[in-house]
Amino acid sequence: MLKFQSVRKVFGQGVVALDSVTLEVPKGQFCVLLGPSGAGKSTLLKMANGLCEPTAGEVWFDNRRINNDSLKDIRWRIGMVHQQL
């Protein structure tokens, strides 16, 4: 299971990329994030593999909070495919 709980991300000059995102993807299911450019899709996914830390909220994978201590065990189990235009 991949779970985002009240995730918020604010960049640099106060740019809010994500605001209070809560999402749960059960184990064995697929999820598609669809939205316009700049909607925060990539930022959300980067949080799932530790490339970006939330300003607030938590990200969980298989009932383990994603943080510096858990990344080594979790990262190899999470894959991302970026669309190239």
Side-chain angles (χ1 to χ4, degrees):
M1 172 198 49
L2 178 60
K3 184 175 176 180
F4 299 88
Q5 288 183 307
S6 301
V7 171
R8 177 176 174 86
K9 181 61 180 182
V10 180
F11 288 105
Q13 303 290 320
V15 175
V16 179
L18 300 168
D19 191 15
S20 193
V21 174
T22 298
L23 170 69
E24 186 173 319
V25 182
K27 187 173 183 175
Q29 289 192 6
F30 290 92
C31 177
V32 175
L33 297 176
L34 186 63
S37 179
K41 302 176 300 291
S42 295
T43 300
L44 191 68
L45 290 176
K46 286 178 183 178
M47 289 181 187
N49 66 8
L51 294 175
C52 181
E53 291 185 25
T55 304
E58 298 177 334
V59 183
W60 295 76
F61 181 75
D62 274 354
N63 296 316
R64 290 185 66 188
R65 185 173 180 215
I66 297 178
N67 57 30
N68 287 336
D69 296 331
S70 65
L71 272 178
K72 184 176 180 183
D73 296 330
I74 292 172
R75 191 173 269 162
W76 70 272
R77 298 176 60 199
I78 297 176
M80 289 175 49
V81 177
H82 291 277
Q83 178 180 351
Q84 298 294 322
L85 297 176

